[in-house]
Amino acid sequence: MILDNLFAERDELEHGIDTENPFLTAFRQHENIDKLTRDILIELIDHIKIYEGGNISVKFKFADELRRIAEYVEINKQSAAG
């Protein structure tokens, strides 16, 4: 199971990000956000923790997808430059 996920992630990085990716769909839907609404918060945020002393931790629903897309862009930027 873990190996299958890693192979799928590798294939995605090599061949591009699927345009039907839920993260991309949500991102395109809210691409020019000028204010945070309840709907946007529910769609993009998994949970928010508020700690004693005022520190806040935000867990995004699509954090892994964002990391993979950033890696894909970086890899392809280097390939295009080289």
Side-chain angles (χ1 to χ4, degrees):
M1 180 74 166
I2 293 173
L3 282 177
D4 292 337
N5 290 341
L6 290 172
F7 285 129
E9 184 175 334
R10 184 192 67 194
D11 288 343
E12 191 172 78
L13 287 172
E14 288 177 356
H15 300 105
I17 306 298
D18 183 9
T19 58
E20 298 304 316
N21 180 304
F23 168 73
L24 286 178
T25 302
F27 184 76
R28 281 192 306 255
Q29 181 180 355
H30 302 291
E31 121 180 62
N32 293 316
I33 297 172
D34 61 353
K35 63 183 174 184
L36 184 62
T37 65
R38 184 179 193 282
D39 291 337
I40 294 170
L41 185 68
I42 289 170
E43 188 162 2
L44 300 179
I45 305 294
D46 182 30
H47 65 271
I48 300 172
K49 291 183 182 179
I50 301 174
Y51 299 96
E52 197 172 313
N55 290 332
I56 298 173
S57 172
V58 178
K59 170 75 171 151
F60 291 92
K61 287 184 179 178
F62 301 108
D64 291 337
E65 286 86 350
L66 179 59
R67 178 190 53 80
R68 280 197 296 264
I69 290 170
E71 287 175 2
Y72 174 76
V73 168
E74 188 62 32
I75 288 169
N76 285 294
K77 186 170 61 173
Q78 291 173 357
S79 296

